[in-house]
Amino acid sequence: MQRPTVVAIGGFTSQVGKTTLMCDLLRAFPGWEAIKTTRGHYRSCGKVADACCVSHLLSDEPLIRSGREQTYERGKDTGRYWDAGAANVHWVIVTEEQVEQGIKNALERITAPGVFIEGNSFTEFVDVDLMLMVARASGGKIKSSARRALAVASALYLSDPASSGSAARAEFALWRNESVAGKLIGDLPIHTREDLPQLIARLQRLHSALAA
């Protein structure tokens, strides 16, 4: 079977609009699958193990939940993938040390022509065909996994829905000029929600070229 087109959706930090972009792309690519990666550890959600929302799911081996029965929950990221039209959804729950094995095991389950993967850390272990790094126009803090993933990012996506494209770009440029972290961006192309049709067209061309 031909290898699926792999598209990564990363983010500067949490709550920047990664899942919204994932759902927009899933609606544009019916039949594609989705993977959600969650790294769990004692401090992922708080200061103690009991405060971590996935600590009870961690074990000596990566846990991968697949299919609607195991991954659908209304309002959660994986549920939103299903609602956006994903052909299948896989939730990878791992410790820091299990990311490589977990994502590779999940990719072996993909039967669709393409897959969208939400997360940053997995890009250290698998080749992606395109990676979009999601940020707010205000920039802000960049977590360590995002800093590393920027090395393989194809473009930045400013997710602010209330701002015009030009306003979002101007705000981001101001942050970039004033922030030391802004130097990590390099010459990456910057897209806004207004560019979504062009971004989808770019991905369609890429997928067609890879499938040829």
Side-chain angles (χ1 to χ4, degrees):
M1 188 182 77
Q2 185 173 348
R3 171 188 176 279
T5 299
V6 179
V7 179
I9 309 295
F12 273 17
T13 187
S14 301
Q15 306 300 318
V16 293
K18 299 187 300 296
T19 303
T20 297
L21 177 58
M22 280 271 290
C23 292
D24 286 337
L25 294 174
L26 283 165
R27 281 187 283 268
F29 290 85
W32 282 34
E33 298 180 38
I35 297 175
K36 168 77 175 182
T37 59
T38 300
R39 287 184 301 152
H41 47 78
Y42 287 160
R43 295 186 178 181
S44 61
C45 300
K47 298 296 184 182
V48 295
D50 290 343
C52 177
C53 60
V54 297
S55 64
H56 63 293
L57 299 175
L58 300 175
S59 67
D60 293 336
E61 297 292 333
L63 173 63
I64 305 173
R65 291 182 167 179
S66 300
R68 190 178 183 91
E69 184 176 339
Q70 293 189 11
T71 61
Y72 186 85
E73 185 174 348
R74 183 176 297 277
K76 297 293 186 180
D77 291 354
T78 52
R80 292 175 63 188
Y81 300 161
W82 283 108
D83 291 340
N88 200 353
V89 174
H90 312 273
W91 185 22
V92 180
I93 305 162
V94 291
T95 64
E96 188 80 39
E97 296 75 22
Q98 296 169 348
V99 173
E100 180 176 8
Q101 182 183 350
I103 193 62
K104 289 181 176 179
N105 290 352
L107 284 169
E108 290 176 354
R109 300 188 181 191
I110 302 300
T111 60
V115 57
F116 295 105
I117 311 177
E118 183 174 334
N120 292 320
S121 299
F122 75 91
T123 57
E124 298 181 49
F125 306 110
V126 299
D127 293 329
V128 299
D129 299 304
L130 185 79
M131 178 170 191
L132 301 174
M133 182 63 71
V134 183
R136 297 293 187 192
S138 56
K141 181 180 179 181
I142 306 178
K143 60 184 179 181
S144 58
S145 63
R147 289 172 180 263
R148 294 191 296 270
L150 275 168
V152 298
S154 309
L156 280 172
Y157 181 83
L158 304 181
S159 61
D160 303 63
S163 302
S164 67
S166 58
R169 290 173 187 273
E171 184 178 357
F172 188 77
L174 181 62
W175 167 82
R176 182 176 177 179
N177 290 335
E178 296 178 346
S179 172
V180 174
K183 296 179 180 179
L184 295 171
I185 311 302
D187 58 354
L188 286 176
I190 297 176
H191 300 285
T192 70
R193 188 166 183 81
E194 292 178 359
D195 303 318
L196 191 57
Q198 291 80 11
L199 195 56
I200 290 170
R202 175 186 177 184
L203 183 50
Q204 288 171 332
R205 292 193 298 270
L206 173 65
H207 176 61
S208 295
L210 292 172

